[in-house]
Amino acid sequence: MDWASYREALGRPRGRLGIRLGDVGMAAVVLVAVELSVVTGGGPGAAPLDARAYLLGAVLVLPVLLRNRYPRFELLACSVLLLLYYTFDRRDISPAPLLSVPLYDAAAAGFLVAAIVIPAVYMAIGLVVVELSNHSGLVTLINDFLPSIVVLALAIGLGDAVRSRRALAAETAERLRVAHEEREAEAARRVAEERLRIARDLHDTVAHAMATITVQAGSALHVLGDRDEKLRGALTAIRETSKHALREMRETLGHLRQGTENGAIQVTPGGLDRLPALRDAVTAAGAPVTIAVEGEQRPLPPSVDEVAYRIVQESLTNVLRHAGPAARATVRLCYEPTALGISVIDDGAGTAAPDGDGRGAGHGLTGMAERAAAVGGEVTAGPRGEGGFEVSARLPLVPG
């Protein structure tokens, strides 16, 4: 056992009174000092040195056991017991062996006034009593009382110095904590400003393209008139999808700019209630989508609902990009008691990316895995043995 373990064992409070092993050891040291003073405390009018004297000397030390939790009570109790000892069964003992530790504890705990007043009263009473009883001279009084006064003063000064150092250490720690929090807040502010700048740049680039697509699709519909319903459906899907994407991007950027009162960013999530519109858009783009629901459909936690929609959205986007012409996709949602299962299967002939991570060379599958992990779920994706591609996800209904 190293020194740190010894200190921890000695300083661990025990029981209701919070007595530590270190307190017991200190009480033993004080007991030895008091008993030595009892042995040598004879003189005119002193009680005989017998078992009673030793027992009363031990009783004087008992409050020292409470020095950890009740330092002021320790000082008051020792002072009262010492006064009773002087009154009913006096031996000429100095108050220094008994009161030094309680005075140190009281001063260290911040009870400086009591630590000064109590020994001052004792010394004054002692000087008066000794002078009236023995008619000692000034030199004799100084010789008898000066050592005790010096010891008690040193105990008070040491306790006050320890209190001051503790207060300085606490103040320094608090200043360091505040400075650390200010640095973190400044770093977070700079990160937020950089994200906002990136969001603005992204909005300026993508919003222009999406607005152009929307206008061009509307113009094409106007020129096409009532001819070719299939082409009209595709153009309508393009226009509505681009409008929705542009509107969602503007909402997100608006929340980034304004924020909220507590600094958090709240964006309206896209949940599975928008799945029919997504199905229609992907179908109009050339990849028929079928949705199958297993189990009892019920509301999901907002974070899980959004992640589920984004996984299906990205999976169907990959179908359009990589599954090839005439591909069909099936979306299965399985509502389990504690989780939501998602499966997106297509029968296309798309191939995996050169890096083997899945379809395409982008970050779609990585993004899906990160979204799922954020709510305690997981995503797997890969080619199917009978052809096509499958993305499977399992999201707990209580986010992790």
Side-chain angles (χ1 to χ4, degrees), residues 271-308:
L272 292 177
D273 58 318
R274 295 165 54 188
L275 194 55
L278 178 64
R279 174 196 59 196
D280 296 341
V282 176
T283 300
V289 178
T290 302
I291 299 177
V293 178
E294 301 177 4
E296 181 182 355
Q297 191 171 358
R298 59 190 183 277
L300 302 175
S303 57
V304 176
D305 198 18
E306 181 184 4
V307 170

PDB file of all heavy atoms in Angstrom, residues 271-308:
ATOM      1  N   GLY A 271     -39.758  12.985 -40.709  1.00  0.00           N
ATOM      2  CA  GLY A 271     -40.098  11.680 -40.165  1.00  0.00           C
ATOM      3  C   GLY A 271     -40.687  10.761 -41.216  1.00  0.00           C
ATOM      4  O   GLY A 271     -40.816  11.104 -42.406  1.00  0.00           O
ATOM      5  N   LEU A 272     -41.068   9.565 -40.773  1.00  0.00           N
ATOM      6  CA  LEU A 272     -41.624   8.577 -41.693  1.00  0.00           C
ATOM      7  C   LEU A 272     -42.989   8.978 -42.228  1.00  0.00           C
ATOM      8  O   LEU A 272     -43.489   8.332 -43.160  1.00  0.00           O
ATOM      9  CB  LEU A 272     -41.720   7.218 -40.979  1.00  0.00           C
ATOM     10  CG  LEU A 272     -40.366   6.549 -40.654  1.00  0.00           C
ATOM     11  CD1 LEU A 272     -40.595   5.262 -39.897  1.00  0.00           C
ATOM     12  CD2 LEU A 272     -39.580   6.288 -41.929  1.00  0.00           C
ATOM     13  N   ASP A 273     -43.601  10.036 -41.665  1.00  0.00           N
ATOM     14  CA  ASP A 273     -44.863  10.492 -42.233  1.00  0.00           C
ATOM     15  C   ASP A 273     -44.675  11.065 -43.627  1.00  0.00           C
ATOM     16  O   ASP A 273     -45.637  11.194 -44.395  1.00  0.00           O
ATOM     17  CB  ASP A 273     -45.488  11.545 -41.312  1.00  0.00           C
ATOM     18  CG  ASP A 273     -44.562  12.726 -41.088  1.00  0.00           C
ATOM     19  OD1 ASP A 273     -43.343  12.493 -40.902  1.00  0.00           O
ATOM     20  OD2 ASP A 273     -45.032  13.875 -41.109  1.00  0.00           O
ATOM     21  N   ARG A 274     -43.449  11.390 -44.000  1.00  0.00           N
ATOM     22  CA  ARG A 274     -43.157  11.892 -45.334  1.00  0.00           C
ATOM     23  C   ARG A 274     -42.748  10.786 -46.293  1.00  0.00           C
ATOM     24  O   ARG A 274     -42.361  11.055 -47.438  1.00  0.00           O
ATOM     25  CB  ARG A 274     -42.024  12.920 -45.240  1.00  0.00           C
ATOM     26  CG  ARG A 274     -42.423  14.157 -44.451  1.00  0.00           C
ATOM     27  CD  ARG A 274     -41.228  14.993 -44.059  1.00  0.00           C
ATOM     28  NE  ARG A 274     -40.406  15.342 -45.215  1.00  0.00           N
ATOM     29  CZ  ARG A 274     -39.212  15.935 -45.119  1.00  0.00           C
ATOM     30  NH1 ARG A 274     -38.727  16.222 -43.930  1.00  0.00           N
ATOM     31  NH2 ARG A 274     -38.528  16.236 -46.192  1.00  0.00           N
ATOM     32  N   LEU A 275     -42.822   9.542 -45.835  1.00  0.00           N
ATOM     33  CA  LEU A 275     -42.410   8.424 -46.683  1.00  0.00           C
ATOM     34  C   LEU A 275     -43.270   8.282 -47.942  1.00  0.00           C
ATOM     35  O   LEU A 275     -42.725   8.000 -49.022  1.00  0.00           O
ATOM     36  CB  LEU A 275     -42.422   7.134 -45.861  1.00  0.00           C
ATOM     37  CG  LEU A 275     -41.718   5.919 -46.475  1.00  0.00           C
ATOM     38  CD1 LEU A 275     -40.286   6.247 -46.832  1.00  0.00           C
ATOM     39  CD2 LEU A 275     -41.768   4.746 -45.508  1.00  0.00           C
ATOM     40  N   PRO A 276     -44.596   8.453 -47.885  1.00  0.00           N
ATOM     41  CA  PRO A 276     -45.385   8.355 -49.133  1.00  0.00           C
ATOM     42  C   PRO A 276     -44.939   9.364 -50.188  1.00  0.00           C
ATOM     43  O   PRO A 276     -44.857   9.023 -51.380  1.00  0.00           O
ATOM     44  CB  PRO A 276     -46.815   8.624 -48.669  1.00  0.00           C
ATOM     45  CG  PRO A 276     -46.832   8.185 -47.235  1.00  0.00           C
ATOM     46  CD  PRO A 276     -45.491   8.557 -46.712  1.00  0.00           C
ATOM     47  N   ALA A 277     -44.643  10.605 -49.800  1.00  0.00           N
ATOM     48  CA  ALA A 277     -44.181  11.592 -50.768  1.00  0.00           C
ATOM     49  C   ALA A 277     -42.842  11.186 -51.354  1.00  0.00           C
ATOM     50  O   ALA A 277     -42.596  11.358 -52.566  1.00  0.00           O
ATOM     51  CB  ALA A 277     -44.083  12.960 -50.100  1.00  0.00           C
ATOM     52  N   LEU A 278     -41.959  10.632 -50.513  1.00  0.00           N
ATOM     53  CA  LEU A 278     -40.672  10.153 -51.017  1.00  0.00           C
ATOM     54  C   LEU A 278     -40.862   8.999 -51.992  1.00  0.00           C
ATOM     55  O   LEU A 278     -40.207   8.941 -53.037  1.00  0.00           O
ATOM     56  CB  LEU A 278     -39.796   9.725 -49.831  1.00  0.00           C
ATOM     57  CG  LEU A 278     -38.433   9.142 -50.177  1.00  0.00           C
ATOM     58  CD1 LEU A 278     -37.556  10.178 -50.873  1.00  0.00           C
ATOM     59  CD2 LEU A 278     -37.725   8.643 -48.903  1.00  0.00           C
ATOM     60  N   ARG A 279     -41.777   8.097 -51.659  1.00  0.00           N
ATOM     61  CA  ARG A 279     -42.059   6.982 -52.568  1.00  0.00           C
ATOM     62  C   ARG A 279     -42.546   7.496 -53.911  1.00  0.00           C
ATOM     63  O   ARG A 279     -42.081   7.034 -54.972  1.00  0.00           O
ATOM     64  CB  ARG A 279     -43.116   6.075 -51.943  1.00  0.00           C
ATOM     65  CG  ARG A 279     -43.602   4.943 -52.863  1.00  0.00           C
ATOM     66  CD  ARG A 279     -44.895   4.351 -52.336  1.00  0.00           C
ATOM     67  NE  ARG A 279     -45.927   5.399 -52.251  1.00  0.00           N
ATOM     68  CZ  ARG A 279     -47.046   5.265 -51.552  1.00  0.00           C
ATOM     69  NH1 ARG A 279     -47.273   4.157 -50.869  1.00  0.00           N
ATOM     70  NH2 ARG A 279     -47.929   6.248 -51.528  1.00  0.00           N
ATOM     71  N   ASP A 280     -43.455   8.436 -53.910  1.00  0.00           N
ATOM     72  CA  ASP A 280     -43.990   8.951 -55.171  1.00  0.00           C
ATOM     73  C   ASP A 280     -42.902   9.634 -55.986  1.00  0.00           C
ATOM     74  O   ASP A 280     -42.851   9.487 -57.225  1.00  0.00           O
ATOM     75  CB  ASP A 280     -45.121   9.944 -54.888  1.00  0.00           C
ATOM     76  CG  ASP A 280     -46.311   9.281 -54.208  1.00  0.00           C
ATOM     77  OD1 ASP A 280     -46.413   8.037 -54.290  1.00  0.00           O
ATOM     78  OD2 ASP A 280     -47.117  10.000 -53.582  1.00  0.00           O
ATOM     79  N   ALA A 281     -42.015  10.371 -55.321  1.00  0.00           N
ATOM     80  CA  ALA A 281     -40.964  11.060 -56.052  1.00  0.00           C
ATOM     81  C   ALA A 281     -39.992  10.078 -56.695  1.00  0.00           C
ATOM     82  O   ALA A 281     -39.597  10.242 -57.852  1.00  0.00           O
ATOM     83  CB  ALA A 281     -40.218  12.003 -55.111  1.00  0.00           C
ATOM     84  N   VAL A 282     -39.595   9.052 -55.936  1.00  0.00           N
ATOM     85  CA  VAL A 282     -38.657   8.068 -56.485  1.00  0.00           C
ATOM     86  C   VAL A 282     -39.321   7.262 -57.598  1.00  0.00           C
ATOM     87  O   VAL A 282     -38.702   6.950 -58.629  1.00  0.00           O
ATOM     88  CB  VAL A 282     -38.135   7.146 -55.366  1.00  0.00           C
ATOM     89  CG1 VAL A 282     -37.239   6.057 -55.926  1.00  0.00           C
ATOM     90  CG2 VAL A 282     -37.364   7.959 -54.330  1.00  0.00           C
ATOM     91  N   THR A 283     -40.584   6.929 -57.407  1.00  0.00           N
ATOM     92  CA  THR A 283     -41.311   6.195 -58.454  1.00  0.00           C
ATOM     93  C   THR A 283     -41.398   7.031 -59.726  1.00  0.00           C
ATOM     94  O   THR A 283     -41.201   6.514 -60.846  1.00  0.00           O
ATOM     95  CB  THR A 283     -42.709   5.830 -57.952  1.00  0.00           C
ATOM     96  OG1 THR A 283     -42.594   5.002 -56.789  1.00  0.00           O
ATOM     97  CG2 THR A 283     -43.487   5.078 -59.027  1.00  0.00           C
ATOM     98  N   ALA A 284     -41.711   8.323 -59.575  1.00  0.00           N
ATOM     99  CA  ALA A 284     -41.794   9.185 -60.751  1.00  0.00           C
ATOM    100  C   ALA A 284     -40.445   9.339 -61.430  1.00  0.00           C
ATOM    101  O   ALA A 284     -40.372   9.555 -62.641  1.00  0.00           O
ATOM    102  CB  ALA A 284     -42.327  10.555 -60.342  1.00  0.00           C
ATOM    103  N   ALA A 285     -39.349   9.198 -60.651  1.00  0.00           N
ATOM    104  CA  ALA A 285     -38.022   9.314 -61.235  1.00  0.00           C
ATOM    105  C   ALA A 285     -37.591   8.058 -61.964  1.00  0.00           C
ATOM    106  O   ALA A 285     -36.518   8.045 -62.590  1.00  0.00           O
ATOM    107  CB  ALA A 285     -37.007   9.651 -60.146  1.00  0.00           C
ATOM    108  N   GLY A 286     -38.393   6.990 -61.910  1.00  0.00           N
ATOM    109  CA  GLY A 286     -38.096   5.797 -62.703  1.00  0.00           C
ATOM    110  C   GLY A 286     -37.812   4.548 -61.925  1.00  0.00           C
ATOM    111  O   GLY A 286     -37.488   3.518 -62.527  1.00  0.00           O
ATOM    112  N   ALA A 287     -37.927   4.561 -60.601  1.00  0.00           N
ATOM    113  CA  ALA A 287     -37.678   3.361 -59.798  1.00  0.00           C
ATOM    114  C   ALA A 287     -38.888   3.109 -58.925  1.00  0.00           C
ATOM    115  O   ALA A 287     -39.012   3.715 -57.847  1.00  0.00           O
ATOM    116  CB  ALA A 287     -36.420   3.523 -58.943  1.00  0.00           C
ATOM    117  N   PRO A 288     -39.824   2.255 -59.347  1.00  0.00           N
ATOM    118  CA  PRO A 288     -41.033   1.982 -58.567  1.00  0.00           C
ATOM    119  C   PRO A 288     -40.682   1.485 -57.156  1.00  0.00           C
ATOM    120  O   PRO A 288     -39.806   0.632 -56.983  1.00  0.00           O
ATOM    121  CB  PRO A 288     -41.756   0.910 -59.384  1.00  0.00           C
ATOM    122  CG  PRO A 288     -41.221   1.062 -60.765  1.00  0.00           C
ATOM    123  CD  PRO A 288     -39.806   1.508 -60.627  1.00  0.00           C
ATOM    124  N   VAL A 289     -41.376   2.028 -56.182  1.00  0.00           N
ATOM    125  CA  VAL A 289     -41.106   1.704 -54.783  1.00  0.00           C
ATOM    126  C   VAL A 289     -42.369   1.140 -54.153  1.00  0.00           C
ATOM    127  O   VAL A 289     -43.467   1.687 -54.323  1.00  0.00           O
ATOM    128  CB  VAL A 289     -40.642   2.951 -53.997  1.00  0.00           C
ATOM    129  CG1 VAL A 289     -40.424   2.608 -52.523  1.00  0.00           C
ATOM    130  CG2 VAL A 289     -39.365   3.517 -54.600  1.00  0.00           C
ATOM    131  N   THR A 290     -42.181   0.040 -53.413  1.00  0.00           N
ATOM    132  CA  THR A 290     -43.266  -0.577 -52.660  1.00  0.00           C
ATOM    133  C   THR A 290     -42.942  -0.479 -51.172  1.00  0.00           C
ATOM    134  O   THR A 290     -41.806  -0.744 -50.764  1.00  0.00           O
ATOM    135  CB  THR A 290     -43.446  -2.047 -53.054  1.00  0.00           C
ATOM    136  OG1 THR A 290     -43.699  -2.132 -54.459  1.00  0.00           O
ATOM    137  CG2 THR A 290     -44.606  -2.670 -52.293  1.00  0.00           C
ATOM    138  N   ILE A 291     -43.929  -0.085 -50.373  1.00  0.00           N
ATOM    139  CA  ILE A 291     -43.736   0.038 -48.929  1.00  0.00           C
ATOM    140  C   ILE A 291     -44.543  -1.041 -48.226  1.00  0.00           C
ATOM    141  O   ILE A 291     -45.746  -1.186 -48.477  1.00  0.00           O
ATOM    142  CB  ILE A 291     -44.163   1.427 -48.428  1.00  0.00           C
ATOM    143  CG1 ILE A 291     -43.316   2.520 -49.091  1.00  0.00           C
ATOM    144  CG2 ILE A 291     -44.031   1.516 -46.906  1.00  0.00           C
ATOM    145  CD1 ILE A 291     -43.731   3.927 -48.704  1.00  0.00           C
ATOM    146  N   ALA A 292     -43.909  -1.796 -47.376  1.00  0.00           N
ATOM    147  CA  ALA A 292     -44.566  -2.840 -46.592  1.00  0.00           C
ATOM    148  C   ALA A 292     -44.312  -2.577 -45.114  1.00  0.00           C
ATOM    149  O   ALA A 292     -43.178  -2.303 -44.714  1.00  0.00           O
ATOM    150  CB  ALA A 292     -44.039  -4.217 -46.980  1.00  0.00           C
ATOM    151  N   VAL A 293     -45.367  -2.657 -44.310  1.00  0.00           N
ATOM    152  CA  VAL A 293     -45.278  -2.392 -42.881  1.00  0.00           C
ATOM    153  C   VAL A 293     -45.666  -3.651 -42.125  1.00  0.00           C
ATOM    154  O   VAL A 293     -46.732  -4.235 -42.372  1.00  0.00           O
ATOM    155  CB  VAL A 293     -46.181  -1.213 -42.461  1.00  0.00           C
ATOM    156  CG1 VAL A 293     -46.089  -0.995 -40.959  1.00  0.00           C
ATOM    157  CG2 VAL A 293     -45.786   0.052 -43.211  1.00  0.00           C
ATOM    158  N   GLU A 294     -44.824  -4.085 -41.215  1.00  0.00           N
ATOM    159  CA  GLU A 294     -45.091  -5.241 -40.370  1.00  0.00           C
ATOM    160  C   GLU A 294     -45.202  -4.788 -38.918  1.00  0.00           C
ATOM    161  O   GLU A 294     -44.461  -3.928 -38.474  1.00  0.00           O
ATOM    162  CB  GLU A 294     -43.967  -6.274 -40.507  1.00  0.00           C
ATOM    163  CG  GLU A 294     -43.771  -6.779 -41.930  1.00  0.00           C
ATOM    164  CD  GLU A 294     -42.590  -7.743 -42.026  1.00  0.00           C
ATOM    165  OE1 GLU A 294     -42.000  -8.060 -40.958  1.00  0.00           O
ATOM    166  OE2 GLU A 294     -42.260  -8.165 -43.145  1.00  0.00           O
ATOM    167  N   GLY A 295     -46.118  -5.383 -38.198  1.00  0.00           N
ATOM    168  CA  GLY A 295     -46.327  -5.004 -36.808  1.00  0.00           C
ATOM    169  C   GLY A 295     -47.271  -3.825 -36.695  1.00  0.00           C
ATOM    170  O   GLY A 295     -47.783  -3.285 -37.685  1.00  0.00           O
ATOM    171  N   GLU A 296     -47.501  -3.417 -35.455  1.00  0.00           N
ATOM    172  CA  GLU A 296     -48.426  -2.329 -35.185  1.00  0.00           C
ATOM    173  C   GLU A 296     -47.713  -0.984 -35.349  1.00  0.00           C
ATOM    174  O   GLU A 296     -46.788  -0.658 -34.613  1.00  0.00           O
ATOM    175  CB  GLU A 296     -48.965  -2.440 -33.754  1.00  0.00           C
ATOM    176  CG  GLU A 296     -49.969  -1.348 -33.392  1.00  0.00           C
ATOM    177  CD  GLU A 296     -50.448  -1.463 -31.958  1.00  0.00           C
ATOM    178  OE1 GLU A 296     -50.061  -2.438 -31.291  1.00  0.00           O
ATOM    179  OE2 GLU A 296     -51.213  -0.575 -31.521  1.00  0.00           O
ATOM    180  N   GLN A 297     -48.120  -0.227 -36.349  1.00  0.00           N
ATOM    181  CA  GLN A 297     -47.495   1.058 -36.611  1.00  0.00           C
ATOM    182  C   GLN A 297     -47.876   2.052 -35.515  1.00  0.00           C
ATOM    183  O   GLN A 297     -49.042   2.189 -35.164  1.00  0.00           O
ATOM    184  CB  GLN A 297     -47.928   1.584 -37.976  1.00  0.00           C
ATOM    185  CG  GLN A 297     -47.137   2.775 -38.453  1.00  0.00           C
ATOM    186  CD  GLN A 297     -47.457   3.117 -39.895  1.00  0.00           C
ATOM    187  OE1 GLN A 297     -48.255   2.437 -40.548  1.00  0.00           O
ATOM    188  NE2 GLN A 297     -46.823   4.170 -40.415  1.00  0.00           N
ATOM    189  N   ARG A 298     -46.889   2.765 -34.984  1.00  0.00           N
ATOM    190  CA  ARG A 298     -47.129   3.679 -33.871  1.00  0.00           C
ATOM    191  C   ARG A 298     -46.120   4.817 -33.934  1.00  0.00           C
ATOM    192  O   ARG A 298     -45.096   4.717 -34.619  1.00  0.00           O
ATOM    193  CB  ARG A 298     -47.015   2.939 -32.541  1.00  0.00           C
ATOM    194  CG  ARG A 298     -45.671   2.273 -32.288  1.00  0.00           C
ATOM    195  CD  ARG A 298     -45.742   1.382 -31.067  1.00  0.00           C
ATOM    196  NE  ARG A 298     -44.477   0.760 -30.720  1.00  0.00           N
ATOM    197  CZ  ARG A 298     -44.018  -0.349 -31.276  1.00  0.00           C
ATOM    198  NH1 ARG A 298     -44.730  -0.953 -32.236  1.00  0.00           N
ATOM    199  NH2 ARG A 298     -42.861  -0.863 -30.896  1.00  0.00           N
ATOM    200  N   PRO A 299     -46.386   5.904 -33.227  1.00  0.00           N
ATOM    201  CA  PRO A 299     -45.459   7.037 -33.243  1.00  0.00           C
ATOM    202  C   PRO A 299     -44.091   6.640 -32.674  1.00  0.00           C
ATOM    203  O   PRO A 299     -43.998   5.851 -31.734  1.00  0.00           O
ATOM    204  CB  PRO A 299     -46.144   8.087 -32.357  1.00  0.00           C
ATOM    205  CG  PRO A 299     -47.589   7.707 -32.361  1.00  0.00           C
ATOM    206  CD  PRO A 299     -47.628   6.212 -32.469  1.00  0.00           C
ATOM    207  N   LEU A 300     -43.064   7.200 -33.253  1.00  0.00           N
ATOM    208  CA  LEU A 300     -41.696   6.930 -32.838  1.00  0.00           C
ATOM    209  C   LEU A 300     -41.110   8.151 -32.124  1.00  0.00           C
ATOM    210  O   LEU A 300     -41.576   9.272 -32.329  1.00  0.00           O
ATOM    211  CB  LEU A 300     -40.827   6.589 -34.055  1.00  0.00           C
ATOM    212  CG  LEU A 300     -41.275   5.403 -34.901  1.00  0.00           C
ATOM    213  CD1 LEU A 300     -40.384   5.282 -36.136  1.00  0.00           C
ATOM    214  CD2 LEU A 300     -41.221   4.105 -34.103  1.00  0.00           C
ATOM    215  N   PRO A 301     -40.087   7.952 -31.297  1.00  0.00           N
ATOM    216  CA  PRO A 301     -39.374   9.115 -30.749  1.00  0.00           C
ATOM    217  C   PRO A 301     -38.867   9.995 -31.883  1.00  0.00           C
ATOM    218  O   PRO A 301     -38.441   9.476 -32.929  1.00  0.00           O
ATOM    219  CB  PRO A 301     -38.212   8.478 -29.963  1.00  0.00           C
ATOM    220  CG  PRO A 301     -38.684   7.100 -29.634  1.00  0.00           C
ATOM    221  CD  PRO A 301     -39.548   6.675 -30.781  1.00  0.00           C
ATOM    222  N   PRO A 302     -38.907  11.316 -31.728  1.00  0.00           N
ATOM    223  CA  PRO A 302     -38.536  12.207 -32.844  1.00  0.00           C
ATOM    224  C   PRO A 302     -37.164  11.911 -33.433  1.00  0.00           C
ATOM    225  O   PRO A 302     -37.005  11.921 -34.657  1.00  0.00           O
ATOM    226  CB  PRO A 302     -38.581  13.596 -32.196  1.00  0.00           C
ATOM    227  CG  PRO A 302     -39.544  13.453 -31.061  1.00  0.00           C
ATOM    228  CD  PRO A 302     -39.368  12.067 -30.546  1.00  0.00           C
ATOM    229  N   SER A 303     -36.176  11.651 -32.585  1.00  0.00           N
ATOM    230  CA  SER A 303     -34.835  11.401 -33.118  1.00  0.00           C
ATOM    231  C   SER A 303     -34.794  10.111 -33.933  1.00  0.00           C
ATOM    232  O   SER A 303     -34.189  10.059 -35.014  1.00  0.00           O
ATOM    233  CB  SER A 303     -33.830  11.325 -31.971  1.00  0.00           C
ATOM    234  OG  SER A 303     -34.211  10.324 -31.040  1.00  0.00           O
ATOM    235  N   VAL A 304     -35.468   9.052 -33.459  1.00  0.00           N
ATOM    236  CA  VAL A 304     -35.504   7.790 -34.194  1.00  0.00           C
ATOM    237  C   VAL A 304     -36.306   7.952 -35.480  1.00  0.00           C
ATOM    238  O   VAL A 304     -35.932   7.418 -36.534  1.00  0.00           O
ATOM    239  CB  VAL A 304     -36.108   6.685 -33.306  1.00  0.00           C
ATOM    240  CG1 VAL A 304     -36.241   5.378 -34.082  1.00  0.00           C
ATOM    241  CG2 VAL A 304     -35.249   6.465 -32.069  1.00  0.00           C
ATOM    242  N   ASP A 305     -37.398   8.708 -35.414  1.00  0.00           N
ATOM    243  CA  ASP A 305     -38.235   8.935 -36.592  1.00  0.00           C
ATOM    244  C   ASP A 305     -37.437   9.622 -37.694  1.00  0.00           C
ATOM    245  O   ASP A 305     -37.499   9.242 -38.871  1.00  0.00           O
ATOM    246  CB  ASP A 305     -39.437   9.786 -36.185  1.00  0.00           C
ATOM    247  CG  ASP A 305     -40.562   9.710 -37.209  1.00  0.00           C
ATOM    248  OD1 ASP A 305     -40.565   8.766 -38.032  1.00  0.00           O
ATOM    249  OD2 ASP A 305     -41.445  10.589 -37.185  1.00  0.00           O
ATOM    250  N   GLU A 306     -36.667  10.633 -37.325  1.00  0.00           N
ATOM    251  CA  GLU A 306     -35.868  11.349 -38.318  1.00  0.00           C
ATOM    252  C   GLU A 306     -34.783  10.463 -38.912  1.00  0.00           C
ATOM    253  O   GLU A 306     -34.572  10.443 -40.129  1.00  0.00           O
ATOM    254  CB  GLU A 306     -35.234  12.586 -37.683  1.00  0.00           C
ATOM    255  CG  GLU A 306     -34.396  13.393 -38.662  1.00  0.00           C
ATOM    256  CD  GLU A 306     -33.701  14.564 -38.010  1.00  0.00           C
ATOM    257  OE1 GLU A 306     -33.803  14.701 -36.782  1.00  0.00           O
ATOM    258  OE2 GLU A 306     -33.055  15.328 -38.731  1.00  0.00           O
ATOM    259  N   VAL A 307     -34.076   9.711 -38.046  1.00  0.00           N
ATOM    260  CA  VAL A 307     -33.013   8.834 -38.542  1.00  0.00           C
ATOM    261  C   VAL A 307     -33.581   7.776 -39.473  1.00  0.00           C
ATOM    262  O   VAL A 307     -32.990   7.464 -40.521  1.00  0.00           O
ATOM    263  CB  VAL A 307     -32.273   8.186 -37.355  1.00  0.00           C
ATOM    264  CG1 VAL A 307     -31.337   7.079 -37.834  1.00  0.00           C
ATOM    265  CG2 VAL A 307     -31.484   9.231 -36.579  1.00  0.00           C
ATOM    266  N   ALA A 308     -34.736   7.210 -39.126  1.00  0.00           N
ATOM    267  CA  ALA A 308     -35.360   6.195 -39.981  1.00  0.00           C
ATOM    268  C   ALA A 308     -35.672   6.769 -41.359  1.00  0.00           C
ATOM    269  O   ALA A 308     -35.402   6.141 -42.395  1.00  0.00           O
ATOM    270  CB  ALA A 308     -36.625   5.667 -39.319  1.00  0.00           C
TER     271      ALA A 308
END
